[in-house]
Amino acid sequence: MVLELQKPRPIWQIMFSTHHTDVGLLYLITSLGFLFMGGALALAIRAELFLPGSQIIADSMTFNRIFTVHGTTLIFLFIIPFASAVGNYFVPIMVRYKDMAYPKLNAIAFWMIPPAGALIWLGFADFTWYATPPYSIISAPGPAADMWIFGLKILGVSSVLGAINFVVTILKCKHPDMSIGQVPLLAWSFLSSSLIILVAIPTFAAALLMLLTDRLGVTGFFNPAMGGDPIAYAHLFWFTFHPEVYVLVIPAIGMMYEIIPRFSRKPIYSFNSGIFAFVLLSIVGFSSWAHHMYATGMSFTEKTVFMVGTLAAVPASAMHVYNFIATMWNGRIKFLTPMMWSVGGIALFFSAGAGGVANAAMPLDFTTHDTYWVVGHFHLFVMGTIAFGSIGFLYYMYPYVTGRMYNETMGKIHFIMSFIGTVLVFFTQHVLGLYGMPRRIFDYPPIPEWIAMNQIASVGAMIIGVSMAIFLANMIYSAGKGKPANTEDPFGVGGKYYYPFEAKNPSH
């Protein structure tokens, strides 16, 4: 089986390897470590908000630092590296090439992540993952803010290097007998998201550089006292980070495309529409950044253009959902853990998308702007869709990586608890936003409805926390004591999926 690791090897041999499965393993372990670190901060936030007044966090500054690092960690140090782990493992195999196009560059891109993560965690900045000026250039204390900026710069370079590698591997290194239309949808998802990165990330890199020179007092791009415009930063930020949302979600959708046909025991309903939807999302992702900025004084015409641009993503997203449902229809579905996570992810993707459509409408946006509605919508998208797709795929690839099966019962308990917890937390936050509770606040007045909904959300978060402890125990125990897996068909759904390109030595 091509995906399995060699016999146990010294850890240094894996750490300094440039083989794509070894680099993928490093990405995987690192991203999971940051998942638990960022998740622990989320639990601290929800514990603090369980009741009005200070509970476990001493002051608002500490609270701001915690949720800044929480957001930065889970977006940049969990979701993106996890996708890179999956891409490193599967893309070369799917395009039938011996490795990534540039193996050494691949390893360098990974090794930029630990120092960047260290800068972010040691700094513990307080200006949210937006780093919005003028606070971030005038008042945010250093060196925390500067360390965050340097950390994000390093992560940006790492993402660009990784994207270049994926694009070249898929377009230039695929087997000569394989046309681009035959490349599997998972690989297409990495091609699409990599092209978005190459277009979007340089803009944010420039914005960060301008932010840093503003902080040093050399320039005043975003400093109103020096004639700068903070809104310009918001445009640059969202030009990168609205498409970046698709960078996060497209690989997760690609992972579902790998799981759902397998466990439905049917081919994908419409392969070409999946490709088309990926390409369409990559393009329209750049037409909607300003819908985050309706309240900044844009003209009605400009707002209407961006509202329409935002809604243009709906048909492409719906195409994926339709494909998944049509594939499952009349399929001989085997509801094992990876399939349960994927189906749950589709349901939550639909819910988050419906909220996004409502949010794109100007009247509702003005009502819910900077309330917990936005928190609920964004987190339902990130946790409910991206994390569900990613965790489901982790269960899927587990026997291929370890050669052992995880505990199926614990996997299902993990899913059920996570699904219930996610609904409790993020659906409740939507309602909380409609009741007018602002986001990013350390304390809130003792309004009975606010207290009740915050408590429901906090209980939901604790349920997710317990489920993640079960997940961790399952992963660690099963890696050593799990039942040996039949790596040619570990889930008993028939077929042999991954064929070796050639005998490989994972250490090179």
Side-chain angles (χ1 to χ4, degrees):
M1 180 62 215
V2 68
L3 297 182
E4 64 186 348
L5 297 173
Q6 270 192 337
K7 300 295 182 189
R9 288 173 286 155
I11 186 68
W12 60 263
Q13 200 176 90
I14 296 175
M15 290 176 66
F16 297 108
S17 168
T18 59
H19 191 271
H20 69 101
T21 56
D22 286 337
V23 177
L25 187 64
L26 293 173
Y27 268 115
L28 186 66
I29 293 171
T30 305
S31 64
L32 291 178
F34 282 117
L35 167 64
F36 283 93
M37 292 166 70
L41 296 183
L43 292 181
I45 292 169
R46 287 314 319 169
E48 173 57 40
L49 295 174
F50 189 79
L51 287 169
S54 175
Q55 306 302 318
I56 63 167
I57 299 174
D59 52 54
S60 58
M61 177 65 81
T62 306
F63 181 85
N64 292 343
R65 290 180 186 279
I66 287 174
F67 86 75
T68 296
V69 178
H70 153 71
T72 307
T73 298
L74 290 182
I75 291 174
F76 299 106
L77 297 171
F78 162 56
I79 294 176
I80 294 177
F82 184 88
S84 296
V86 172
N88 268 281
Y89 251 96
F90 285 87
V91 166
I93 293 163
M94 288 181 162
V95 300
R96 292 156 60 191
Y97 190 61
K98 58 185 178 181
D99 204 330
M100 296 293 284
Y102 308 115
K104 291 181 180 175
L105 194 68
N106 197 30
I108 290 170
F110 165 75
W111 281 108
M112 288 182 166
I113 293 175
L119 283 170
I120 290 164
W121 272 78
L122 292 175
F124 238 66
D126 69 336
F127 49 26
T128 83
W129 73 278
Y130 297 75
T132 309
Y135 177 75
S136 59
I137 54 175
I138 296 174
S139 305
D146 307 298
M147 292 169 75
W148 185 92
I149 292 171
F150 275 110
L152 265 287
K153 292 287 286 183
I154 294 171
L155 289 174
V157 174
S158 168
S159 291
V160 169
L161 295 181
I164 291 171
N165 226 339
F166 280 125
V167 170
V168 176
T169 303
I170 295 168
L171 294 183
K172 290 292 186 184
C173 302
K174 64 181 174 57
H175 195 277
D177 293 340
M178 176 183 278
S179 71
I180 188 67
Q182 294 172 315
V183 169
L185 286 169
L186 179 60
W188 260 103
S189 73
F190 283 98
L191 178 61
S192 306
S193 59
S194 297
L195 291 173
I196 297 176
I197 288 173
L198 293 179
V199 176
I201 288 293
T203 304
F204 186 57
L208 279 179
L209 190 60
M210 294 156 79
L211 198 70
L212 183 63
T213 55
D214 276 11
R215 280 184 59 80
L216 295 173
V218 178
T219 59
F221 295 111
F222 312 124
N223 187 350
M226 299 173 69
D229 182 6
I231 300 298
Y233 176 84
H235 278 289
L236 295 172
F237 180 90
W238 286 118
F239 179 80
T240 298
F241 282 100
H242 193 80
E244 185 78 6
V245 170
Y246 297 105
V247 170
L248 307 179
V249 75
I250 285 176
I253 293 173
M255 294 173 207
M256 293 178 189
Y257 269 121
E258 196 65 18
I259 290 173
I260 287 173
R262 303 266 187 257
F263 287 82
S264 300
R265 290 181 264 194
K266 278 179 64 187
I268 193 71
Y269 174 74
S270 173
F271 186 90
N272 290 336
S273 73
I275 296 175
F276 180 71
F278 280 140
V279 174
L280 190 60
L281 275 178
S282 306
I283 296 169
V284 300
F286 289 94
S287 66
S288 53
W289 85 86
H291 83 241
H292 295 270
M293 303 168 62
Y294 286 157
T296 59
M298 287 191 298
S299 71
F300 181 77
T301 304
E302 289 169 325
K303 284 185 279 198
T304 304
V305 168
F306 283 106
M307 185 175 76
V308 173
T310 303
L311 294 175
V314 175
S317 303
M319 231 181 281
H320 290 307
V321 174
Y322 182 80
N323 247 348
F324 292 143
I325 293 173
T327 302
M328 288 187 283
W329 193 265
N330 284 335
R332 294 183 296 123
I333 300 175
K334 196 165 186 177
F335 272 110
L336 298 182
T337 302
M339 186 64 172
M340 294 178 75
W341 281 91
S342 295
V343 172
I346 294 167
L348 297 174
F349 180 47
F350 183 82
S351 305
V357 171
N359 215 33
M362 283 182 273
L364 182 72
D365 184 83
F366 278 109
T367 304
T368 59
H369 188 75
D370 266 346
T371 70
Y372 257 86
W373 170 284
V374 180
V375 179
H377 165 65
F378 180 68
H379 281 77
L380 191 59
F381 202 68
V382 171
M383 174 67 190
T385 305
I386 301 169
F388 268 55
S390 300
I391 292 172
F393 200 83
L394 178 60
Y395 279 108
Y396 176 71
M397 65 192 289
Y398 189 85
Y400 295 118
V401 175
T402 64
R404 293 181 181 275
M405 288 301 293
Y406 58 84
N407 184 294
E408 185 66 35
T409 303
M410 291 175 74
K412 288 178 176 174
I413 292 172
H414 177 207
F415 164 75
I416 292 169
M417 292 181 69
S418 294
F419 190 83
I420 293 171
T422 299
V423 169
L424 286 177
V425 179
F426 305 121
F427 279 61
T428 305
Q429 287 182 339
H430 279 76
V431 182
L432 197 52
L434 294 177
Y435 270 81
M437 179 166 166
R439 59 175 171 166
R440 303 178 189 135
I441 56 170
F442 166 60
D443 194 10
Y444 55 91
I447 301 171
E449 290 83 1
W450 288 21
I451 295 173
M453 283 185 277
N454 270 298
Q455 290 178 342
I456 292 171
S458 296
V459 168
M462 299 308 160
I463 292 173
I464 296 173
V466 173
S467 78
M468 294 304 290
I470 294 171
F471 164 65
L472 183 62
N474 192 6
M475 294 292 105
I476 294 174
Y477 179 81
S478 299
K481 302 289 185 180
K483 189 173 66 175
N486 169 15
T487 50
E488 293 192 358
D489 185 16
F491 300 100
V493 290
K496 183 176 179 181
Y497 312 130
Y498 303 110
Y499 299 91
F501 169 74
E502 60 182 11
K504 299 177 186 175
N505 177 5
S507 175
H508 70 77

